[in-house]
Amino acid sequence: MFMDFMRGKNTDVNFSSDFSSSQRADRYRNFGIRWFTSCDHALLRAVLSLPFFLLIAGLILFQPGTANARSGGITGFSGISGTDCTVCHGGGAAPSVMLIGPTSVTPGATNSYTLTITGGPASVGGLDVAASAGTFTATDAGTEVQSGELIHNTEKSFAAGSVSWSFDWTAPLAAGSVNMSGAGLSANGSGTGGDGTAVAALTINVQAAVPEMAVSGLGVPIADGDATPSAA
């Protein structure tokens, strides 16, 4: 039917110019529906179906390494559980990432840490930092805490080949070992791939402070376990 119509042959659908434009539009629509539903070729119907179109569009838009970049950060990609920024970013030179801060702290203490990215495409950068315990506090503009992780909410431009963020982390009240992991993204800013990522990690020992005691008669506080000074 469709090929007959395309060749100008008669069909059982009248497209005469005697009809108004709205009537002709209705007839064209009805003709298309009747032709599609009467098609005997399952493959052709599948190709013209909406799910098939959405599948093809998805394959084009979500190719690995070419996903659109996010100007704001996202949680769950710090590397602490094995998942990092390479899920969405790739194709560029890998940068070096450093996570710097105290590795021995007391329970409940708040300390400052810094994540620095050097190298890679080095146009704009982003980060996601997570820890197995404790809490983060955003101290730099362009960062925030979301779902317990420190991320960027605005991409930050590199300067002289590197970019850094500082933040605070408060240790848990219980003593023990805490893992902190930070993923750094060095992007070219195109939004179409060519980015580099890397992960840095710290193991932080949370231990109670050594109690002090005074030696009777001297009033000299010494750490528990130190040799007691002899009296004069």
Side-chain angles (χ1 to χ4, degrees):
M1 180 188 297
F2 179 73
M3 294 305 298
D4 288 342
F5 168 69
M6 294 299 293
R7 295 189 182 101
K9 294 183 178 181
N10 292 330
T11 68
D12 58 351
V13 180
N14 188 349
F15 296 102
S16 170
S17 59
D18 294 335
F19 294 103
S20 67
S21 59
S22 61
Q23 288 175 321
R24 287 198 300 274
D26 288 339
R27 287 174 178 268
Y28 277 115
R29 182 176 63 253
N30 293 334
F31 170 77
I33 294 172
R34 289 171 57 190
W35 174 78
F36 180 77
T37 56
S38 65
C39 181
D40 293 329
H41 301 288
L43 179 60
L44 184 58
R45 275 196 251 182
V47 169
L48 295 175
S49 66
L50 179 60
F52 183 82
F53 171 79
L54 293 176
L55 174 62
I56 296 301
L59 290 175
I60 294 173
L61 293 175
F62 298 102
Q63 298 180 60
T66 60
N68 289 335
R70 302 170 63 99
S71 58
I74 184 172
T75 63
F77 296 91
S78 67
I80 197 167
S81 60
T83 303
D84 57 32
C85 300
T86 55
V87 172
C88 298
H89 298 273
S96 65
V97 175
M98 295 181 63
L99 190 56
I100 302 172
T103 56
S104 182
V105 301
T106 56
T110 298
N111 291 278
S112 180
Y113 293 79
T114 300
L115 185 140
T116 300
I117 307 172
T118 303
S123 176
V124 292
L127 81 166
D128 178 16
V129 186
S132 57
T135 56
F136 290 99
T137 301
T139 58
D140 274 11
T143 62
E144 65 180 81
V145 177
Q146 189 178 112
S147 300
E149 300 181 13
L150 183 96
I151 61 172
H152 66 280
N153 54 35
T154 303
E155 59 191 18
K156 189 173 182 179
S157 297
F158 276 66
S162 66
V163 63
S164 297
W165 297 265
S166 293
F167 55 91
D168 285 349
W169 176 75
T170 301
L173 297 179
S177 181
V178 175
N179 296 320
M180 181 183 292
S181 180
L185 169 65
S186 177
N188 60 13
S190 69
T192 58
D195 304 330
T197 69
V199 174
L202 286 179
T203 299
I204 304 171
N205 185 26
V206 181
Q207 57 183 358
V210 177
E212 292 184 345
M213 63 181 182
V215 178
S216 177
L218 297 179
V220 180
I222 62 172
D224 188 17
D226 286 354
T228 302
S230 59

